[in-house]
């Protein structure tokens, strides 16, 4: 356990070794000698404090250009060349207008190259000394875009029905598992909502969610990281189960809840978030609805948050300006 009581640190998204993985220079990479040397120092320091750390591999896919201006000669990786249906989003209208123009769909060669890029970056992570791999595959980014009908309208083996739309993310997991072997855990961030539309869904029923998550666990995922804007929001009608709760119930895999834990507002909501009680977290953990809880904003405000929670000391408020930086950390307790 790390100093301050943290069980595990998961970095925020880290770019894989692909030209259109991320569009902002502020996002760290997991390739190149300088970047890997920097990550070795980070990993060594975390290990020196008794902790564990894993990187969250990231390819933004259709959302290329959302964070920063991009090279117009590079084509974003989109399953069918589509950005997705714009709904409730925080993106400005001018960006949505530009991004909504269809581009070239990914070729089979593109798909193979992206899978290889994930594998290279996973290998880099292992060589640097990370304790596992996390994959950011939610929120409308590349792997999620293959699952979402609005962005995947392919009619080949990589699209069509839900089973075929699940193939690409499952193949990424399978390729990483082959590369890193059975000894290190793979965490997989999935979501219903998208950055393009907070009301979007990849599964309208538990049965549909079971198809997706079952394929991912079968490919080698150990921990299902259910990304939702509020962790305690019921995932489907007629049930109080959260998205993390359904992940565990449907697959039997370890599941992790994340999303505004301990705060009264979701990320990107207006207003300053304020700490709230954790009774709901404790109740769901006690009922074994999910296994792990990830905390981002409150952990940035208080690196010793786990110990703060154990002792019952006052929770330090989150200040967005104080927490700005290239890497955000989440905590599992």
């Amino acid at each position: 356990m790390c100093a301050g009581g943290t069980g595990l640190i998961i970095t925020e998204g880290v770019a894989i070794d692909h030209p259109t993985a991320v569009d902002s220079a502020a996002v760290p990479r997991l390739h190149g000698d300088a970047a890997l040397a920097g990550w070795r120092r980070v990993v060594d320091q975390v290990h020196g404090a008794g902790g564990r750390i894993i990187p969250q591999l990231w390819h933004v896919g259709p959302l290329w250009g959302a964070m920063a201006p991009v090279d117009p000669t590079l084509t974003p990786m989109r399953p069918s060349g589509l950005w997705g249906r714009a709904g409730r989003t925080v993106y400005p209208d001018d960006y949505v207008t530009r991004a909504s123009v269809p581009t070239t769909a990914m070729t089979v060669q593109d798909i193979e190259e992206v899978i290889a890029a994930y594998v290279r970056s996973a290998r880099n992570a292992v060589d640097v000394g990370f304790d596992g791999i996390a994959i950011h595959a939610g929120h409308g980014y590349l792997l999620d875009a293959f699952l979402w009908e609005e962005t995947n309208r392919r009619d080949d083996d990589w699209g069509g029905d839900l089973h075929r739309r699940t193939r690409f993310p499952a193949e990424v997991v399978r390729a990483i598992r082959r590369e890193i072997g059975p000894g290190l855990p793979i965490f997989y961030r999935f979501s219903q909502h998208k950055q393009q539309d907070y009301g979007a869904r990849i599964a309208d029923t538990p049965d549909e969610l079971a198809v997706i998550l079952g394929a991912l666990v079968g490919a080698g995922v150990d921990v299902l990281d259910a990304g939702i804007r509020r962790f305690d929001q019921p995932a489907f009608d007629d049930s109080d189960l959260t998205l993390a709760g359904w992940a565990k119930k449907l697959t039997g895999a370890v599941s992790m809840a994340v999303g505004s834990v301990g705060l009264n507002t979701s990320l990107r909501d207006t207003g300053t978030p304020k700490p709230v009680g954790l009774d709901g977290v404790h109740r769901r953990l006690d009922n074994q609805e999910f296994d792990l809880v990830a905390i981002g904003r409150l952990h940035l405000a208080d690196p010793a948050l786990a110990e703060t929670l154990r002792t019952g000391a006052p929770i330090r408020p989150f200040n967005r300006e104080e927490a700005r930086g290239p890497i955000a950390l989440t905590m599992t307790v």
Side-chain angles (χ1 to χ4, degrees):
M1 185 175 294
C2 194
T6 298
L8 172 69
I9 294 172
I10 304 175
T11 73
E12 199 175 30
V14 181
I16 65 169
D17 185 12
H18 187 270
T20 62
V22 297
D23 49 23
S24 171
V27 175
R29 273 63 174 164
L30 199 43
H31 54 90
D33 292 343
L36 296 181
W39 281 119
R40 284 190 185 93
R41 291 194 294 273
V42 171
V43 170
D44 288 346
Q45 289 176 14
V46 172
H47 287 169
R52 296 290 181 266
I53 182 170
I54 61 177
Q56 189 180 68
L57 306 186
W58 193 24
H59 193 300
V60 299
L63 296 173
W64 167 256
M67 292 186 288
V70 294
D71 183 346
T73 66
L74 295 176
T75 301
M77 294 291 99
R78 300 177 174 182
S80 301
L82 303 173
W83 183 79
R85 181 189 68 248
R88 185 187 173 198
T89 180
V90 297
Y91 288 138
D93 291 341
D94 60 340
Y95 166 69
V96 173
T97 298
R98 294 194 312 271
S100 296
V101 176
T103 62
T104 304
M106 290 178 70
T107 65
V108 172
Q109 181 177 344
D110 288 333
I111 290 172
E112 292 172 349
E113 289 176 353
V114 170
I115 293 174
Y118 271 102
V119 170
R120 286 195 300 274
S121 295
R123 169 46 54 189
N124 288 343
V126 172
D127 292 344
V128 162
F130 280 106
D131 300 293
I133 299 294
I135 303 170
H136 197 326
H139 306 177
Y141 299 123
L142 182 57
L143 276 70
D144 196 30
F146 272 83
L147 295 174
W148 192 25
E149 284 184 298
E150 291 292 330
T151 42
N152 186 352
R153 298 182 182 175
R154 303 174 69 99
D155 58 5
D156 61 1
D157 291 341
W158 303 97
D161 64 21
L162 185 57
H163 290 273
R164 295 205 300 276
R165 295 201 306 275
T166 304
R167 182 185 173 195
F168 176 69
E171 287 299 325
V172 168
V173 172
R174 189 171 289 110
I176 290 174
R177 176 54 75 201
R178 283 196 299 265
E179 181 66 28
I180 70 173
L184 294 177
I186 296 177
F187 286 58
Y188 189 96
R189 164 68 60 86
F190 72 99
S191 73
Q192 293 272 41
H193 75 278
K194 316 292 168 229
Q195 299 285 68
Q196 300 96 317
D197 179 10
Y198 287 161
R201 303 171 73 86
I202 56 173
D204 290 321
T205 67
D207 287 344
E208 290 181 350
L209 187 61
V211 170
I212 297 168
L213 300 185
L216 295 169
V217 171
V221 167
D222 298 291
V223 180
L224 291 166
D225 173 8
I228 188 168
R229 301 186 71 230
R230 291 211 59 85
F231 82 97
D232 52 359
Q233 178 182 337
F236 300 104
D237 294 338
D238 303 321
S239 172
D240 184 51
L241 271 186
T242 62
L243 193 61
W246 276 108
K248 182 174 181 178
K249 179 176 181 176
L250 293 170
T251 67
V254 174
S255 70
M256 182 164 72
V258 64
S260 307
V261 175
L263 292 171
N264 68 339
T265 60
S266 301
L267 185 64
R268 302 187 187 277
D269 282 348
T270 58
T272 301
K274 294 181 174 58
V276 297
L278 295 173
D279 290 349
V281 178
H282 294 154
R283 174 174 62 83
R284 293 178 188 274
L285 283 171
D286 289 343
N287 291 339
Q288 299 183 341
E289 180 176 332
F290 42 71
D291 306 285
L292 303 171
V293 177
I295 301 178
R297 286 175 287 170
L298 286 182
H299 197 208
L300 289 171
D302 179 7
L305 179 62
E307 190 61 28
T308 297
L309 296 176
R310 288 190 182 95
T311 61
I315 296 176
R316 186 181 304 171
F318 171 79
N319 184 306
R320 189 180 301 276
E321 293 305 317
E322 291 177 356
R324 289 190 184 278
I327 304 175
L329 304 178
T330 60
M331 174 184 69
T332 59
V333 295

